[in-house]
Amino acid sequence: MNLIGDDFMKKVILLVDIVLIGILLSGIAFEQKQYIDKGTCTGVNFAGPFYCDYNRNMNDELIIPGFQTIYFYEIQSDSGFSLINQIDGISGNPYLWTTGTGDFDSDGLKEIILGYPENDTQHLRIYEQSESTSFFDNLVWQNDTLYTTIYNLGVTNKLKGDGVDRILGAGIPWLSKPTKAYGWYYYTCVGDNQYEILNTYAESTSVGTAMDIGDINGNGLTDVVIKSRVNYLYIYESTDIMDTFFVKVDSITESGYASEKLLILPDIDRDGVNEIMKYQIDYIGFWLEPVSYGYLIYEKRGDIYDTIFNRHFEVGTNYNWIYGGDIAYCDIDGDGINEIVICGGRHLEVWEAIGDNQFKRIWEWTDPTYKTIESHLLCYDFNKNGIDEIIFSGQGISGCITRIFECDTTRDPSAPEIVKAEASDGEIVGSGVDYDDYIRIEFSGLTTEPYINKSNIDSMLRLSGGHSYLANGKYLDTCRWEQEGGKSVLYIELTEILSPPTVSVGDTIYPDGVTIRSFEYPSLAISKPVVIGGSFGPMGIEGEWERGFEGNKGIKVEKGYIKWQSEGRGILEVYDIKGSMVIRDEREGKGENKTEMNHLKNGIYFIRVKGKDSEITKKIVKIR
């Protein structure tokens, strides 16, 4: 077996994988603030993450529905989101979803509405706090009328203009079935945690899975937009300011395959007219065929709704049924102007208006490890810095995942990204970090290679969990830059004085992109977090023989020489981390041979000694 060749090929494949995962095309700088190994993957396309300050501590919680569990995350200063609570075992069915939070009965206690399938039907359940700062710990209501299918459900305080949170949906329960739904409705609280459907509308209209509420024309009357089964949009408007009755006033008959989300936009292009945005599925391919997503914005001019934004893209699919997109609008750069955010399975884009009916894409992100069957967006300013975060929740190959992005307005967008960070063990055996252990950080291109030392390393390359590269809080060996293959590589050489550093494999590095800049300002460069891989585990000891086989007695590294024994003809080869041969020494005869290696740079090398019928390989780490 060619151990050097096999190992080198694996590293090449790994590098290709790293390059493919997380393709970024950016005109502004975004930072991936956090990766959470929980996400929405319930099979219910309108179930996504929500937020609510349930414990009244002035910090809103990120709420993510998962398999039989609702997870509550709260932002903890600069360290990101932490899981602070969860509701477990809500149902025996893993397809659990949430539709929103609020104070539905106006009693000062907050509720969350949950649902899940049960015996081919759907229940709605409301959990409420037992006191104003407690967890959602009481099941206070369950609907009597079972749904055979939930088409669309949500919570809004816009419905009647009185600020009361209400549950509303498309597809009236007793008129709808899995193959067809009719009308829209809303629940109202009738006292003592009891809810009933007060009004229903459009009972003869076959509806789909999208709706939204707002004021499209700015006349003070509430508008409701719903989607028909043929992807038409129907617009209903209240007949008085009390919103006691709604009538159909308009429609948009542009067709498509299926519309899964609607939004009434607050004049996104700042021309004095509100818009309607629709996300739709254009085409569903068969197994391994692409799926096409469409994103359209309509604006009314006179009596006609014009299409002012029309974005379509295809994503390769790994399932033959797709409900994988979402839309949102928010202020992602803190300039007080809303941008639109769209996603489709594994692809995410941000667009800004640059004039009347004109839009420009300012950022996009793709991760091929996401599946295309599910993705959801939530845009909200959790850390209260004036910039809305993008919460992108979906299903990856390894499970449900949520990524949190934030535009970094303080950082130069030319900052290069880190390709990988690897911990490596030196020759000294021991658990944890030894005197010769180090971390190798590889960047995507050349950087200005700033001076990094013990005074600034913990801020320039911040570690998760409050960890540090410093021994005893103040000691560091050295930090040195190398240029390898047209890329800047930083070696952080650690030490252990009195107590070891707290840095460990699995920590996330958050680089300071203001300080670490590129030479050439490439348009694709961005500074993003990276998880430390590799190992600080023991790999050998100076002077210890790596034992071989008959005819090939072993390898030993000592005082700048490689000592190796052989019987008869033997060949020594040394390869660097990139698989290039840097030393070759061929000897005849029996005995110990010495091959000088002082000329080699610091780094990881693989030594191979070949005899007549056998070979042995040893990994070494060279540090002066």
Side-chain angles (χ1 to χ4, degrees):
M1 178 184 293
N2 187 339
L3 298 179
I4 295 294
D6 290 347
D7 189 82
F8 177 59
M9 286 305 297
K10 289 177 182 177
K11 294 178 185 299
V12 171
I13 293 171
L14 176 60
L15 182 58
V16 171
D17 287 343
I18 291 171
V19 171
L20 287 176
I21 294 173
I23 301 168
L24 294 140
L25 302 175
S26 178
I28 58 176
F30 270 79
E31 178 184 1
Q32 181 176 302
K33 301 286 284 188
Q34 194 167 358
Y35 166 100
I36 297 175
D37 64 347
K38 301 290 187 295
T40 304
C41 47
T42 64
V44 182
N45 61 305
F46 54 82
F50 292 89
Y51 64 90
C52 175
D53 181 15
Y54 83 90
N55 56 6
R56 306 313 204 275
N57 68 348
M58 305 301 292
N59 290 321
D60 291 306
E61 291 77 40
L62 171 63
I63 305 173
I64 301 176
F67 281 175
Q68 303 182 30
T69 301
I70 302 294
Y71 301 97
F72 292 80
Y73 286 83
E74 190 170 82
I75 198 162
Q76 307 290 326
S77 187
D78 290 336
S79 61
F81 287 83
S82 298
L83 181 65
I84 61 169
N85 219 326
Q86 62 191 62
I87 305 177
D88 295 310
I90 294 175
S91 78
N93 193 304
Y95 294 121
L96 175 67
W97 41 267
T98 64
T99 61
T101 62
D103 184 5
F104 308 147
D105 54 0
S106 302
D107 65 352
L109 300 176
K110 294 186 179 181
E111 295 91 10
I112 184 171
I113 183 167
L114 311 176
Y116 56 84
E118 185 176 56
N119 299 323
D120 297 323
T121 61
Q122 308 274 350
H123 272 298
L124 301 183
R125 289 175 168 83
I126 294 178
Y127 285 77
E128 187 179 52
Q129 301 171 301
S130 57
E131 56 186 43
S132 62
T133 58
S134 71
F135 193 59
F136 296 109
D137 46 13
N138 288 327
L139 175 62
V140 296
W141 179 79
Q142 174 177 301
N143 63 311
D144 295 326
T145 304
L146 293 178
Y147 293 71
T148 55
T149 294
I150 300 291
Y151 279 81
N152 189 281
L153 202 68
V155 175
T156 182
N157 59 10
K158 303 176 184 178
L159 185 61
K160 294 182 68 63
D162 55 6
V164 175
D165 298 316
R166 289 182 173 86
I167 305 165
L168 77 160
I172 300 167
W174 54 85
L175 297 178
S176 302
K177 53 188 178 181
T179 57
K180 191 170 290 188
Y182 290 94
W184 64 274
Y185 59 95
Y186 65 88
Y187 281 93
T188 190
C189 180
V190 293
D192 193 24
N193 288 320
Q194 296 300 307
Y195 301 85
E196 62 183 41
I197 293 178
L198 182 62
N199 285 322
T200 61
Y201 303 94
E203 292 190 2
S204 61
T205 302
S206 179
V207 299
T209 55
M211 66 183 300
D212 195 22
I213 294 179
D215 184 3
I216 301 171
N217 52 15
N219 64 356
L221 299 176
T222 302
D223 298 308
V224 177
V225 184
I226 61 174
K227 187 215 79 152
S228 76
R229 288 187 57 81
V230 293
N231 208 26
Y232 295 170
L233 302 185
Y234 296 142
I235 302 170
Y236 285 76
E237 188 173 65
S238 62
T239 58
D240 57 69
I241 60 174
M242 298 302 295
D243 300 326
T244 56
F245 191 70
F246 288 79
V247 295
K248 180 181 173 182
V249 294
D250 217 331
S251 62
I252 302 174
T253 57
E254 183 176 6
S255 63
Y257 186 86
S259 180
E260 300 301 322
K261 182 72 175 287
L262 291 173
L263 287 176
I264 298 175
L265 301 178
D267 188 15
I268 206 73
D269 60 348
R270 304 183 301 283
D271 62 356
V273 182
N274 292 339
E275 303 90 5
I276 299 173
M277 186 172 186
K278 175 177 71 173
Y279 149 71
Q280 69 184 28
I281 300 168
D282 299 323
Y283 169 76
I284 298 178
F286 293 99
W287 188 256
L288 298 181
E289 288 184 357
V291 58
S292 175
Y293 297 113
Y295 306 85
L296 300 95
I297 297 178
Y298 304 101
E299 186 175 87
K300 194 169 187 179
R301 298 290 184 178
D303 295 328
I304 300 175
Y305 276 94
D306 292 329
T307 303
I308 64 171
F309 179 85
N310 197 338
R311 168 69 172 135
H312 300 261
F313 59 76
E314 286 190 349
V315 179
T317 181
N318 42 22
Y319 276 77
N320 60 0
W321 53 276
I322 306 296
Y323 299 99
D326 207 348
I327 53 178
Y329 65 90
C330 61
D331 181 9
I332 58 91
D333 54 6
D335 63 355
I337 300 173
N338 286 318
E339 291 80 26
I340 56 175
V341 186
I342 63 178
C343 72
R346 58 186 64 171
H347 187 65
L348 180 66
E349 293 184 356
V350 177
W351 290 73
E352 70 174 0
I354 56 174
D356 185 7
N357 301 341
Q358 301 294 316
F359 297 86
K360 177 180 70 174
R361 184 177 59 197
I362 58 175
W363 185 68
E364 67 178 293
W365 175 89
T366 297
D367 189 340
T369 66
Y370 269 80
K371 296 180 180 179
T372 57
I373 62 170
E374 192 108 24
S375 63
H376 299 278
L377 288 174
L378 172 64
C379 295
Y380 187 71
D381 184 12
F382 283 95
N383 57 8
K384 298 180 174 62
N385 66 348
I387 300 173
D388 289 325
E389 293 85 49
I390 299 174
I391 315 297
F392 181 58
S393 187
Q395 185 170 358
I397 291 176
S398 59
C400 304
I401 46 182
T402 295
R403 296 183 188 271
I404 301 169
F405 299 95
E406 185 175 74
C407 178
D408 189 345
T409 59
T410 66
R411 183 166 50 80
D412 191 325
S414 65
E417 63 183 87
I418 295 177
V419 176
K420 60 182 174 182
E422 292 289 328
S424 290
D425 183 57
E427 293 295 299
I428 301 174
V429 174
S431 60
V433 176
D434 298 317
Y435 282 94
D436 60 347
D437 291 351
Y438 69 97
I439 300 170
R440 180 183 183 272
I441 300 179
E442 179 181 328
F443 290 80
S444 59
L446 295 176
T447 80
T448 52
E449 300 178 0
Y451 184 63
I452 299 177
N453 59 20
K454 64 181 181 182
S455 69
N456 59 22
I457 186 170
D458 281 337
S459 61
M460 290 177 63
L461 296 166
R462 181 170 58 88
L463 293 166
S464 59
H467 286 182
S468 173
Y469 303 91
L470 305 180
N472 200 30
K474 57 183 178 180
Y475 296 103
L476 181 71
D477 193 335
T478 59
C479 290
R480 59 184 176 82
W481 291 92
E482 301 282 351
Q483 291 189 18
E484 301 174 4
K487 300 177 180 179
S488 291
V489 178
L490 175 65
Y491 289 90
I492 303 171
E493 298 169 0
L494 304 169
T495 189
E496 181 183 14
I497 299 177
L498 299 181
S499 61
T502 53
V503 58
S504 62
V505 173
D507 283 352
T508 299
I509 297 176
Y510 298 91
D512 174 10
V514 175
T515 304
I516 302 173
R517 303 169 185 265
S518 73
F519 286 117
E520 300 177 356
Y521 303 98
S523 61
L524 302 185
I526 187 168
S527 184
K528 65 178 182 180
V530 65
V531 176
I532 299 176
S535 172
F536 286 126
M539 296 295 294
I541 190 168
E542 180 84 10
E544 181 182 357
W545 284 94
E546 185 77 19
R547 295 301 175 186
F549 306 98
E550 186 65 29
N552 183 359
K553 296 300 184 182
I555 303 171
K556 184 179 181 181
V557 178
E558 190 175 71
K559 294 180 173 57
Y561 288 91
I562 303 170
K563 296 181 179 181
W564 50 290
Q565 297 179 349
S566 62
E567 295 184 3
R569 182 173 180 269
I571 300 173
L572 176 138
E573 295 172 343
V574 181
Y575 294 81
D576 63 17
I577 192 66
K578 294 177 287 185
S580 301
M581 185 188 299
V582 294
I583 295 176
R584 189 179 189 277
D585 190 2
E586 185 173 341
R587 304 290 181 95
E588 296 284 350
K590 180 179 179 180
E592 182 179 281
N593 307 298
K594 292 177 62 177
T595 301
E596 199 268 336
M597 57 173 291
N598 280 321
H599 64 285
L600 296 179
K601 294 181 179 180
N602 289 358
I604 300 173
Y605 296 91
F606 298 90
I607 304 171
R608 179 168 64 181
V609 173
K610 296 188 292 187
K612 180 180 179 181
D613 300 315
S614 63
E615 66 179 51
I616 184 173
T617 300
K618 178 180 175 69
K619 173 189 172 183
I620 65 167
V621 179
K622 184 175 186 296
I623 300 178
R624 288 191 177 92

